[in-house]
Amino acid sequence: MRTQGNSQPHLQRAALRHTCRNRIRRRTRLPVCTAQLTKELWLTIMLCHGGAVRAVRFNADGNYLLSCGSDKSLKLWGVSRGTLLKTYSGHGYEVLDADGSYDNSQLCSCSSDKSVILWDVASGQVIRKLRGHAGKVNCVQFNEEATVILSGSIDGTVRCWDTRSRRFEPIQVLDEAKDGISSVKVVQHELLTGSVDGRVRRYDLRMGQLHVDFINSPITCVCFSQDGQCTLSSSLDSVVRLLDKSTGEMLGEYTGHKMKSYKLDCCLSSKDTHVLSCSEDGHVYCWDLVEGSLSLKLPVGKAVVQSLSFHPTETCLLTSMEGCVQVWAAEPEETQDEVTMAT
């Protein structure tokens, strides 16, 4: 169900479905490197965080990764060698999400302590601690210029913070959600949010419009496709859905994984060829975007796969389970002494 603040005429449903499907098929012919997702991924590095890992994220260029969790810390790692570069401490409770700026000079994180922290990467010092949410903050992200931090909370609001201002109040509060915000993504002038009220909201900040897609199940994660034409959302009915961003047309549903009780991640591969999702059964599920068929069921472990992140340009995947972060690549690195293969 699609509602929007400023309706526009649409094509007939059948013609629209045909157009959207053809557009996706043209966009998603598998390149050689991404096609390897249908065969195998290799576990190249396993990192120990020291507590349950709530989120794992690549930085903008994919050379570093961030992990955060129940030990109240945020950690920065080098991806190639798995080296711990720095630990950032300052939150009072577990850290639930983190993001890095485009130039790698700053980090932001959010926590169950209701705060958002802006960090200096080099010194490890807190630049600003932002308060204003009435409950734990589930998700956080920089805009592309790292001039604004967007945070979503269990209090049902998205707050926008100016990173250059000395003021501690948000510059804008979005309070349209009827329940907690579980996921926030921003690309250029568009903001995408997922809420426990079962709605995916897309804010066109340039046009001042709000578009709402009703999923009818609590949303756990949302993201844009790489080409910006579609949105992907996962929900607690164990379904990942691909929607046309402009019309709300359902382009694909991906099932087989288990997502009933936990807030878990989903994402698209770097070339928009595959859909990936965490699962409560200890696997990462990977589907062909166009066909909807299961390409790979990656066995991570015996517990819940809490978080995942796909490399921005390469065939490389981050996963987290309990206190560990796993780095998976399409081929084993020659410099690695021990490599475990998962098929």
Side-chain angles (χ1 to χ4, degrees):
M1 180 184 298
R2 160 57 65 91
T3 62
Q4 56 185 33
N6 192 2
S7 61
Q8 299 178 357
H10 302 302
L11 300 175
Q12 292 295 325
R13 189 177 187 87
L16 179 60
R17 183 181 298 109
H18 176 73
T19 301
C20 294
R21 179 59 65 182
N22 285 345
R23 183 177 66 206
I24 289 182
R25 286 186 182 277
R26 288 196 299 270
R27 189 178 70 241
T28 56
R29 290 176 180 171
L30 293 178
V32 174
C33 63
T34 309
Q36 295 184 46
L37 277 177
T38 64
K39 299 178 182 178
E40 58 190 25
L41 283 178
W42 297 70
L43 177 60
T44 59
I45 302 173
M46 183 175 291
L47 311 172
C48 183
H49 194 278
V53 180
R54 301 306 182 197
V56 59
R57 306 284 182 248
F58 276 112
N59 74 321
D61 58 20
N63 292 325
Y64 304 96
L65 70 89
L66 298 167
S67 64
C68 56
S70 62
D71 63 356
K72 308 177 187 178
S73 72
L74 169 65
K75 296 181 185 294
L76 177 67
W77 309 80
V79 174
S80 60
R81 295 177 178 269
T83 307
L84 177 61
L85 302 176
K86 193 173 284 291
T87 299
Y88 304 83
S89 300
H91 283 290
Y93 292 94
E94 63 178 355
V95 185
L96 300 178
D97 198 10
D99 192 28
S101 63
Y102 72 98
D103 60 359
N104 298 324
S105 66
Q106 296 179 333
L107 304 174
C108 63
S109 60
C110 63
S111 168
S112 294
D113 65 7
K114 308 178 186 179
S115 73
V116 174
I117 294 182
L118 176 66
W119 306 87
D120 178 74
V121 169
S123 68
Q125 297 300 307
V126 175
I127 300 174
R128 294 176 63 194
K129 180 174 281 192
L130 306 166
R131 298 186 181 275
H133 284 292
K136 71 176 182 178
V137 187
N138 289 321
C139 47
V140 67
Q141 192 180 13
F142 282 111
N143 70 338
E144 292 189 349
E145 297 80 19
T147 56
V148 176
I149 297 173
L150 299 107
S151 58
S153 169
I154 196 174
D155 65 10
T157 68
V158 175
R159 294 175 185 259
C160 309
W161 313 87
D162 189 341
T163 61
R164 301 166 298 178
S165 172
R166 299 195 177 202
R167 298 181 60 186
F168 288 88
E169 299 81 16
I171 56 177
Q172 188 172 6
V173 178
L174 305 173
D175 58 1
E176 289 77 14
K178 307 304 181 185
D179 209 326
I181 302 294
S182 57
S183 183
V184 169
K185 294 294 186 295
V186 59
V187 175
Q188 296 181 351
H189 61 278
E190 292 185 310
L191 170 64
L192 191 67
T193 70
S195 172
V196 181
D197 66 10
R199 288 166 173 81
V200 176
R201 293 175 173 85
R202 180 172 61 88
Y203 297 83
D204 188 323
L205 303 177
R206 183 176 59 189
M207 300 298 294
Q209 295 179 344
L210 170 62
H211 308 265
V212 182
D213 291 306
F214 182 53
I215 303 299
N216 199 28
S217 181
I219 307 298
T220 66
C221 185
V222 294
C223 62
F224 288 104
S225 59
Q226 299 297 325
D227 66 1
Q229 309 234 352
C230 304
T231 66
L232 190 74
S233 62
S234 57
S235 52
L236 290 183
D237 58 357
S238 299
V239 181
V240 179
R241 294 173 175 87
L242 183 73
L243 303 180
D244 184 276
K245 185 187 75 174
S246 300
T247 66
E249 180 78 15
M250 181 77 70
L251 300 179
E253 290 187 338
Y254 310 90
T255 59
H257 62 300
K258 182 181 180 182
M259 192 180 298
K260 297 291 187 181
S261 305
Y262 294 88
K263 175 186 174 297
L264 306 181
D265 288 341
C266 68
C267 71
L268 287 155
S269 61
S270 56
K271 302 296 183 181
D272 281 348
T273 58
H274 290 82
V275 174
L276 297 98
S277 175
C278 296
S279 179
E280 296 172 15
D281 63 8
H283 294 79
V284 168
Y285 286 70
C286 175
W287 299 271
D288 180 274
L289 181 141
V290 174
E291 302 300 331
S293 56
L294 185 65
S295 300
L296 180 67
K297 184 178 177 182
L298 185 67
V300 180
K302 296 182 179 180
V304 176
V305 183
Q306 186 76 41
S307 181
L308 58 77
S309 179
F310 206 92
H311 194 282
T313 58
E314 301 175 4
T315 305
C316 185
L317 175 69
L318 302 178
T319 59
S320 68
M321 176 180 287
E322 296 181 324
C324 294
V325 176
Q326 301 86 14
V327 182
W328 307 83
E331 296 179 353
E333 296 290 339
E334 295 180 358
T335 57
Q336 296 294 328
D337 294 330
E338 295 181 4
V339 179
T340 303
M341 183 177 70
T343 58

